[in-house]
Amino acid sequence: MNRVIALPIKLLSAALLLSVTALAAPRTLEQVKSSGTLKLGTEAAFPPFNFYEGKALMGFEVDLGNALGKALGLKVEWVVQPFDNLLITLNQGRFDAVMASHAITPVRQKAVDFLPPHYCSTVNIVAKVGGPLTKQMLAGKTVGTQVGTAQIPVLNAIPGIREVRTYPNDQTVLSALQAGRVDAWSSNGPVVAYMLKKTGQTGKILIGEAISDERNAGAVAKGNTALDDALSGALAGLLKDGTYAKISDRWFGQDIRCK
Ligand code: ARG
């Protein structure tokens, strides 16, 4: 290759490689502590757990994540990414831990290390009045759900479903349900309840049968043990000292910790 061209290309690939390596290493607890800032990843489209109201990031998991940082004496910086990217970029070190309502599943446990669950919930079937509200009624029907979620394999295992269609987030699934492009929607019960209320659809769209019970948890990159221990310890503290109960009550009027 012409040297004049080859040199810039070599420099460029070296720079690319450096930036990839820099991103490729999740930060250790020591590095997080000395920076003074804990970076938390979330999606910001899963109300009331993590969402935007205008430009403000808020929700149960945002309050809880901020409280975890505080307990460790760290500032919290939130990094917002599509749900589907979160576990990949967590392992690439884009942020230190994720708080986005991930269900603990064996498949995900191979990829990341989960903290103890910060709540338990069900995933439900949701449909317009007169639509399919049970697994049995899903025979021959199309169900919409968010891409990358734990309910996809659960839905695929329900006999007779015509199609499981994935959407970028729950807002787009709700729109598809309203427009009649899917017969049913599947998501976590508290999210559906909140979204139906916010959009004035309560009573027009109904929450049906639960298809799974989830333990929803934060996670750190695979093998990031010291950070895992620190965050798990901080979470145990919040569960014990009343902070968790207060945050849960603010968002749900009840304590949603796993029983
Ligand atoms: N609980 C489901 C799962 O684990 C959905 C979580 C979706 N979270 C989100 N921030 N959109 O896959």
Side-chain angles (χ1 to χ4, degrees):
M1 197 191 281
N2 181 325
R3 239 192 271 157
V4 184
I5 298 172
L7 185 63
I9 288 180
K10 264 189 202 154
L11 283 176
L12 190 67
S13 34
L16 272 178
L17 195 70
L18 266 180
S19 57
V20 169
T21 343
L23 275 179
R27 300 195 303 170
T28 62
L29 176 63
E30 278 317 305
Q31 289 169 323
V32 171
K33 275 193 167 163
S34 61
S35 79
T37 302
L38 175 69
K39 290 190 198 166
L40 293 177
T42 196
E43 183 210 21
F46 203 60
F49 293 101
N50 59 78
F51 64 110
Y52 279 124
E53 200 144 283
K55 280 185 183 158
L57 179 67
M58 58 179 72
F60 172 72
E61 286 175 315
V62 175
D63 286 350
L64 198 61
N66 288 337
L68 285 174
K70 196 171 167 199
L72 295 172
L74 298 165
K75 267 200 275 178
V76 172
E77 183 185 314
W78 289 92
V79 179
V80 173
Q81 306 225 323
F83 180 70
D84 205 21
N85 286 354
L86 286 167
L87 298 188
I88 299 162
T89 46
L90 171 67
N91 275 329
Q92 291 171 343
R94 180 74 189 77
F95 39 83
D96 307 307
V98 67
M99 292 281 281
S101 291
H102 286 90
I104 300 175
T105 68
V107 173
R108 288 176 177 164
Q109 278 173 317
K110 285 189 193 141
V112 297
D113 286 342
F114 279 103
L115 308 180
H118 55 266
Y119 72 97
C120 273
S121 70
T122 57
V123 170
N124 296 73
I125 301 166
V126 183
K128 286 183 185 167
V129 172
L133 286 170
T134 65
K135 284 188 249 186
Q136 236 179 359
M137 288 165 83
L138 284 180
K141 305 290 184 194
T142 300
V143 189
T145 199
Q146 183 179 29
V147 68
T149 55
Q151 57 267 28
I152 295 171
V154 179
L155 289 166
N156 279 327
I158 297 174
I161 288 195
R162 180 157 52 129
E163 190 190 342
V164 178
R165 212 173 280 174
T166 55
Y167 291 83
N169 52 49
D170 279 300
Q171 286 69 24
T172 45
V173 193
L174 174 55
S175 304
L177 178 66
Q178 286 178 292
R181 290 192 294 272
V182 293
D183 302 302
W185 166 28
S186 177
S187 186
N188 292 79
V191 174
V192 176
Y194 187 92
M195 287 176 62
L196 293 182
K197 199 169 165 198
K198 274 278 164 181
T199 56
Q201 298 298 306
T202 311
K204 297 180 193 140
I205 293 176
L206 306 176
I207 303 179
E209 191 180 1
I211 58 165
S212 60
D213 284 306
E214 293 189 340
R215 292 153 57 78
N216 304 89
V220 298
K222 192 81 197 160
N224 203 350
T225 314
L227 184 64
D228 187 350
D229 291 348
L231 287 169
S232 301
L235 176 60
L238 301 181
L239 283 161
K240 222 171 156 180
D241 72 7
T243 309
Y244 178 97
K246 217 197 240 165
I247 296 172
S248 181
D249 191 57
R250 185 184 311 151
W251 287 101
F252 302 100
Q254 58 178 305
D255 193 315
I256 64 164
R257 77 182 67 194
C258 299
K259 304 273 147 50

